């Protein structure tokens, strides 16, 4: 059962002289309490009809109606049930109407006594439907508004009582006799007027006071709602930009979210530094039909607005670019403003501890735009969040680099363990066996004794070289080497290196070594000892991986501009695979693996060469046509008298040797 007719609508139809007014919920509460207090303070036994929209509103007033029921046996309370509210006869009559009934949208209180009458009949005004996130629903929201009638007029009160009693009779027909008694006692003699009682001045003052207070409260609610909207927007944009640790994705997402939220013509966000001249790496949001700035050069040094933001560290905005002297007096900037239709302009820096990370720009076109304080605070809050996100992205990048370095260190450790196990344990075992044999067999022949001693000495030398390579690389990388550059003849260094190689390989078969060095080469500036070391290691490496019937060639020629001498050590040996041309210079690099190779060595030779060559300002790189097709190791040496020679030769800090480059 559901009654769709409105009590207020029927009352206004029957009494067209009535004019409804607007009431807030708190106003109706105050008026209802005043009417109930009138009953409690009087000696009459009046008819009281109270209609609540929901059971939860009735529960707040139930104690008052128990007191009212002690004053009269004609008390009726209506409400839409939610839990335990039912139609029953107790100390007063309760009527549970259908939640779909029109009564669920109205608020009624009618009091009719022998000497006075008053009524309050209102219908709730529905606010525009908004998403829950925009306007949360509160069951007891004091800003709810009602339209209706409140009066002491007996005729109006009796008519309202008559309409309500009819609805009560529909839901509880068993109350027919009691309702007829109420009509006979209170509604038969209906006369208009207040019976010499004029509460209007007091009532109007009360309502005015309540209304003024309610408007203030509503204003406060709006302020809270605006603040909540701002915080929600900041949170949504923050969530969007925190979904990635890529700085480009962060700026792109922030530009889209902020531009849409503020409905600007164009939103630009870009990375920049105080000293940059211009930027082209722009992330933007565009409204329809707005010209894009993507790929355009955006001036920074010649932009007085940007420079002012850099100096102050504070946002600035221009309401009308055509009237701002900073823009009109800068022709290049004025041309950009005219070209891209910028009328209002806001710049907000993205900072981290005073360091400029980037800039947020908002552009309005068409007409000038006055920036609200809330909008400025919102953009500043977003800029702060962008700065935090960028710092986190940088920290993540640094962490990735640190992880890569740790992985490289772990590989170095593993290689060091493998090489130590192979290169130290094997010669130590040989030395131990030889010495034990010499000590335990005094009758050993002189020839065999000599063989044992030679084996022990050779393996001891092998260990010495290993330890020496470790120490050399450690000194080069830590910067403890003292360089002594001087003018040198390159051929002399080649001869010394060849003598050293031939002496070491005199008992072995090694490939043919050919020197193709012009006789009239300019002098080079380098530390002679280290230059011979580089040549020796490159030659040793070439001979090691070239068959005895192969060939090793040493070549040298000045580079273009006669600033450097390019040296090449080429061989016809195993060659290098293309994907390993750069990794051969890594520490402990072993082509065949540390434990299963056919040639000796630590894998430190080329790493040492790179550090030495970088120390005198040169470069070293490898070339090869592929596996088993030979290889060429190239490096450069400064020539005496070249324009950059003085700077390079003056370097006594070998820390630069850490970052050898490949040509």
């Amino acid at each position: 059962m559901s009654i769709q007719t409105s009590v207020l609508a029927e009352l206004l139809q029957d009494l067209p002289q009535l004019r409804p007014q607007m009431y807030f919920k708190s106003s109706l509460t105050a008026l209802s309490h005043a009417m109930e207090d009138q009953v409690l303070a009087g000696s009459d036994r009046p008819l009281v009809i109270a209609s609540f929209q929901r059971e939860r509103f009735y529960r707040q007033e139930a104690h008052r109606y128990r007191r009212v029921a002690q004053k009269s046996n004609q008390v009726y309370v209506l409400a839409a049930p939610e839990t335990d509210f039912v139609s029953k006869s107790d100390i007063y009559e309760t009527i549970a109407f259908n939640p779909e009934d029109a009564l669920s949208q109205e608020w009624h209180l009618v009091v009719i006594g022998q000497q006075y009458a008053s009524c309050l009949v209102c219908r709730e005004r529905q606010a525009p439907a908004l998403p829950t996130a925009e306007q949360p629903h509160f069951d007891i929201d004091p800003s709810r508004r009602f339209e209706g009638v409140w009066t002491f007029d007996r005729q109006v009160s009796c008519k309202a009582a008559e309409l309500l009693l009819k609805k009560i009779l529909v839901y509880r027909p068993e109350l027919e006799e009691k309702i007829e008694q109420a009509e006979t006692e209170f509604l038969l003699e209906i006369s208009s007027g207040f019976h010499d009682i004029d509460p209007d001045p007091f009532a109007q003052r009360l309502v005015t006071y309540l209304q003024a207070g309610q408007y203030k409260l509503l204003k406060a609610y709006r302020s809270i709602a605006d603040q909540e909207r701002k915080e929600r927007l900041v949170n949504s944009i923050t969530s969007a930009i925190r979904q990635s640790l890529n700085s480009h994705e962060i700026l792109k997402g922030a530009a889209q979210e902020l531009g849409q939220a503020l409905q600007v013509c164009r939103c630009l966000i870009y990375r920049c530094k105080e000293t940059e001249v211009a930027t082209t790496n722009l992330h933007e949001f565009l409204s329809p039909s707005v010209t894009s700035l993507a790929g355009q050069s955006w001036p920074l040094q010649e932009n007085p607005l940007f420079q002012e933001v850099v100096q102050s560290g504070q946002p600035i905005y221009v309401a009308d670019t055509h009237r701002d002297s900073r823009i009109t007096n800068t022709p290049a900037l004025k041309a950009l403003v005219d070209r891209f239709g910028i009328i209002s302009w806001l710049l907000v820096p993205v900072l981290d501890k005073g360091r400029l990370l980037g800039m947020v720009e908002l552009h309005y076109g068409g007409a000038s735009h006055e920036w609200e304080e809330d909008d400025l605070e919102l953009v500043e809050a977003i800029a702060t969040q962008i700065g935090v996100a960028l710092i986190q992205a940088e920290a993540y990048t640094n962490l990735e680099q640190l992880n890569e370095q740790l992985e490289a260190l772990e590989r170095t450790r593993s290689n060091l363990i493998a090489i130590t196990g192979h290169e130290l344990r094997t010669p130590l075992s040989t030395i131990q066996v030889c010495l034990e044999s010499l000590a335990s067999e005094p009758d050993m022949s002189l020839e065999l004794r000599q063989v044992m001693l030679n084996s022990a000495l050779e393996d001891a030398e092998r260990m010495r070289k290993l330890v020496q390579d470790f120490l050399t690389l450690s000194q080069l990388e830590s910067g403890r080497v003292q360089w002594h550059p001087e003018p040198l003849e390159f051929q002399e260094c080649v001869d010394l290196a060849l003598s050293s190689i031939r002496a070491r390989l005199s008992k072995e078969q090694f490939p043919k070594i050919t020197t193709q060095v012009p006789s009239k080469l300019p002098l080079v500036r380098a530390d002679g000892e280290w230059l011979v070391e580089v040549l020796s290691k490159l030659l040793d490496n070439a001979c090691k991986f070239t068959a005895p019937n192969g060939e090793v060639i040493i070549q040298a020629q000045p580079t273009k501009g006669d600033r450097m001498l390019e040296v090449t050590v080429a061989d016809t040996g195993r060659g290098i695979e293309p994907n390993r041309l750069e990794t051969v210079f890594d520490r402990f690099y072993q082509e065949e693996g540390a434990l299963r190779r056919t040639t000796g060595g630590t894998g430190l030779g080329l790493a040492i060469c790179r550090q030495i060559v970088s120390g005198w300002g040169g470069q070293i790189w490898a070339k090869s046509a592929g596996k088993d097709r030979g290889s060429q190791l190239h490096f450069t040496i400064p020539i005496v008298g070249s324009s950059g020679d003085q700077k390079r030769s003056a370097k006594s800090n070998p820390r630069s040797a850490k970052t050898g480059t490949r040509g």
Side-chain angles (χ1 to χ4, degrees):
M1 182 191 310
S2 177
I3 305 174
Q4 298 302 317
T5 56
S6 164
V7 174
L8 177 62
E10 292 180 350
L11 183 64
L12 295 177
Q13 183 178 358
D14 293 340
L15 302 174
Q17 74 274 15
L18 295 178
R19 293 292 180 267
Q21 294 183 358
M22 191 67 65
Y23 299 92
F24 286 103
K25 189 259 184 185
S26 58
S27 303
L28 298 184
T29 300
L31 293 173
S32 298
H33 287 174
M35 294 167 64
E36 293 160 3
D37 290 341
Q38 190 176 21
V39 174
L40 294 173
S43 57
D44 284 355
R45 303 178 64 83
L47 167 66
V48 179
I49 307 173
S51 176
F52 297 89
Q53 294 174 298
R54 293 285 188 274
E55 176 187 348
R56 58 183 176 277
F57 302 138
Y58 153 74
R59 287 198 298 266
Q60 300 174 58
E61 305 294 331
H63 66 286
R64 294 179 65 85
Y65 281 90
R66 283 193 290 269
R67 294 171 56 196
V68 170
Q70 295 175 1
K71 306 288 293 187
S72 173
N73 63 348
Q74 289 285 348
V75 178
Y76 303 84
V77 176
L78 301 85
E82 292 176 311
T83 55
D84 58 354
F85 188 87
V86 294
S87 296
K88 65 177 181 179
S89 298
D90 200 349
I91 57 176
Y92 51 85
E93 303 294 338
T94 58
I95 299 91
F97 57 79
N98 194 310
E100 305 299 325
D101 198 305
L103 290 171
S104 64
Q105 302 298 322
E106 298 189 334
W107 180 325
H108 311 125
L109 177 59
V110 178
V111 178
I112 301 177
Q114 297 298 328
Q115 302 298 325
Y116 65 91
S118 59
C119 75
L120 177 63
V121 179
C122 294
R123 182 174 181 84
E124 186 168 4
R125 291 282 298 272
Q126 297 298 326
L130 293 175
T132 304
E134 291 292 331
Q135 183 175 351
H137 176 69
F138 299 99
D139 290 334
I140 310 176
D141 181 5
S143 66
R144 289 162 55 207
R145 291 178 293 177
F146 294 78
E147 181 181 30
V149 175
W150 172 72
T151 182
F152 282 125
D153 190 299
R154 178 173 287 273
Q155 180 184 14
V156 177
S157 301
C158 290
K159 186 62 180 178
E162 178 184 349
L163 295 174
L164 284 168
L165 289 173
K166 287 181 180 179
K167 292 183 180 292
I168 293 173
L169 194 58
V170 172
Y171 281 98
R172 295 195 59 188
E174 71 271 20
L175 296 179
E176 181 178 6
E177 183 177 346
K178 187 173 183 178
I179 290 175
E180 288 180 356
Q181 179 184 351
E183 291 176 340
T184 301
E185 184 176 355
F186 299 101
L187 305 183
L188 288 182
E189 297 181 3
I190 302 176
S191 58
S192 180
F194 296 151
H195 293 264
D196 298 327
I197 298 175
D198 185 12
D200 192 60
F202 167 77
Q204 291 296 335
R205 183 182 293 272
L206 175 64
V207 171
T208 300
Y209 175 79
L210 290 173
Q211 294 291 82
Q214 191 59 44
Y215 277 115
K216 292 180 181 178
L217 187 60
L218 183 59
K219 184 178 180 181
Y221 278 135
R222 287 175 180 170
S223 176
I224 294 173
D226 289 341
Q227 182 67 21
E228 182 184 1
R229 179 187 67 85
K230 172 187 171 183
E231 292 179 357
R232 192 165 53 250
L233 182 58
V234 171
N235 291 337
S236 66
I237 296 178
T238 301
S239 176
I241 64 181
R242 294 289 177 86
Q243 292 178 0
S244 173
L245 286 172
N246 181 291
S247 60
H248 294 295
E249 292 295 329
I250 291 171
L251 299 183
K252 179 181 177 182
Q256 291 296 322
E257 293 289 337
L258 185 58
Q260 291 175 359
L262 296 181
Q263 298 181 343
V264 296
C265 293
R266 184 187 295 109
C267 175
L268 299 180
I269 305 180
Y270 51 86
R271 296 295 300 268
C272 61
K273 297 180 180 179
E274 294 89 340
T275 57
E276 288 185 341
V277 177
T279 183
T280 55
N281 189 16
L282 304 176
H283 302 273
E284 64 180 356
F285 162 82
L286 298 174
S287 294
S289 71
V290 175
T291 304
S292 173
L293 282 169
Q296 299 287 338
S297 178
W298 198 242
L300 301 180
Q301 286 294 334
E302 297 181 359
N303 185 342
L305 302 181
F306 177 85
Q307 294 303 319
E308 185 173 332
V309 172
V310 169
Q311 293 175 6
S312 65
Q314 299 295 325
I316 63 169
Y317 72 89
V318 177
D320 190 343
T321 56
H322 297 300
R323 297 182 179 180
D324 191 280
S325 59
R326 293 168 294 186
I327 298 174
T328 56
N329 294 335
T330 309
L333 195 59
K334 185 176 184 303
L336 284 177
V337 166
D338 294 337
R339 178 182 175 186
F340 295 106
I342 305 173
I343 302 300
S344 295
W345 196 345
L346 172 65
L347 293 89
V348 179
V350 178
L351 303 171
D352 174 59
K353 298 178 181 179
R355 178 170 64 100
L356 182 66
L357 301 178
M359 191 71 66
V360 178
E361 293 193 16
L362 300 181
H363 301 167
Y364 277 95
S368 60
H369 177 82
E370 291 293 336
W371 300 92
E372 299 282 343
E373 186 66 27
D374 289 343
D375 290 341
L376 294 175
E377 292 178 357
L378 173 62
V379 180
E380 288 187 64
I382 297 302
T384 300
Q385 293 301 320
I386 292 173
V388 172
L390 290 177
I391 292 300
Q392 289 182 340
E394 290 181 359
Y396 178 75
T397 301
N398 294 335
L399 182 60
E400 283 188 322
Q401 294 175 352
L402 180 59
N403 286 335
E404 291 176 358
Q405 294 174 5
L406 291 175
E407 290 176 0
L409 288 174
E410 177 62 22
R411 289 194 299 270
T412 300
R413 185 189 69 83
S414 300
N415 289 333
L416 179 59
I417 292 173
I419 290 171
T420 303
H422 185 271
E423 295 292 339
L424 291 181
R425 183 178 58 189
T426 301
L428 277 174
S429 299
T430 303
I431 294 171
Q432 183 179 8
V433 169
C434 292
L435 293 178
E436 287 178 352
S437 298
L438 291 172
S440 62
E441 298 183 17
D443 297 332
M444 184 182 298
S445 66
L446 290 177
E447 292 182 359
L448 187 55
R449 282 176 178 273
Q450 190 62 43
V451 171
M452 292 291 182
L453 286 173
N454 289 340
S455 297
L457 288 172
E458 288 176 1
D459 284 336
E461 178 64 15
R462 179 177 170 185
M463 291 178 60
R464 187 195 66 78
K465 290 180 180 179
L466 173 63
V467 174
Q468 183 61 46
D469 282 348
F470 278 133
L471 294 176
T472 299
L473 185 61
S474 175
Q475 288 177 335
L476 288 167
E477 290 185 336
S478 63
R480 297 196 301 269
V481 174
Q482 294 296 322
W483 302 94
H484 302 287
E486 58 182 339
L488 299 170
E489 287 191 8
F490 179 69
Q491 182 63 56
E492 291 182 0
C493 297
V494 172
D495 293 339
L496 289 173
L498 287 173
S499 298
S500 175
I501 290 295
R502 288 179 176 134
R504 289 203 303 268
L505 302 178
S506 60
K507 297 182 181 180
E508 301 177 12
Q509 287 186 337
F510 57 90
K512 178 183 178 182
I513 301 177
T514 304
T515 303
Q516 298 178 358
V517 178
S519 59
K520 294 184 180 180
L521 282 178
L523 296 177
V524 296
R525 179 171 290 277
D527 189 311
E529 181 180 350
W530 289 109
L531 177 54
V532 172
E533 181 76 10
V534 171
L535 289 169
S536 298
K537 288 190 176 298
L538 293 182
L539 288 170
D540 184 60
N541 197 69
C543 292
K544 188 188 306 179
F545 293 102
T546 303
N549 60 351
E551 185 179 10
V552 176
I553 303 174
I554 305 173
Q555 298 173 322
Q557 62 180 1
T559 60
K560 293 181 179 180
D562 293 336
R563 297 179 56 187
M564 306 289 282
L565 180 70
E566 181 178 338
V567 181
T568 303
V569 178
D571 63 67
T572 59
R574 295 182 183 179
I576 305 171
E577 294 181 1
N579 61 338
R580 296 186 176 182
L581 290 174
E582 189 170 349
T583 57
V584 294
F585 295 98
D586 292 343
R587 290 175 296 176
F588 306 118
Y589 173 79
Q590 297 283 354
E591 180 191 15
E592 299 170 293
L595 302 179
R596 52 184 179 85
R597 63 187 188 279
T598 59
T599 59
T602 62
L604 297 176
L606 293 182
I608 292 173
C609 290
R610 180 176 62 179
Q611 296 294 330
I612 296 172
V613 171
S614 299
W616 63 52
Q619 295 179 331
I620 186 169
W621 66 97
K623 291 183 179 180
S624 177
K627 196 164 183 64
D628 297 325
R629 300 180 66 181
S631 60
Q632 304 86 43
L633 275 296
H634 303 257
F635 69 92
T636 58
I637 317 169
I639 293 176
V640 173
S642 63
S643 58
D645 174 49
Q646 296 300 324
K647 292 182 180 179
R648 284 190 294 269
S649 63
K651 288 184 179 179
S652 59
N653 182 4
R655 291 186 181 274
S656 60
K658 290 185 179 181
T659 56
T661 57
R662 172 180 174 270

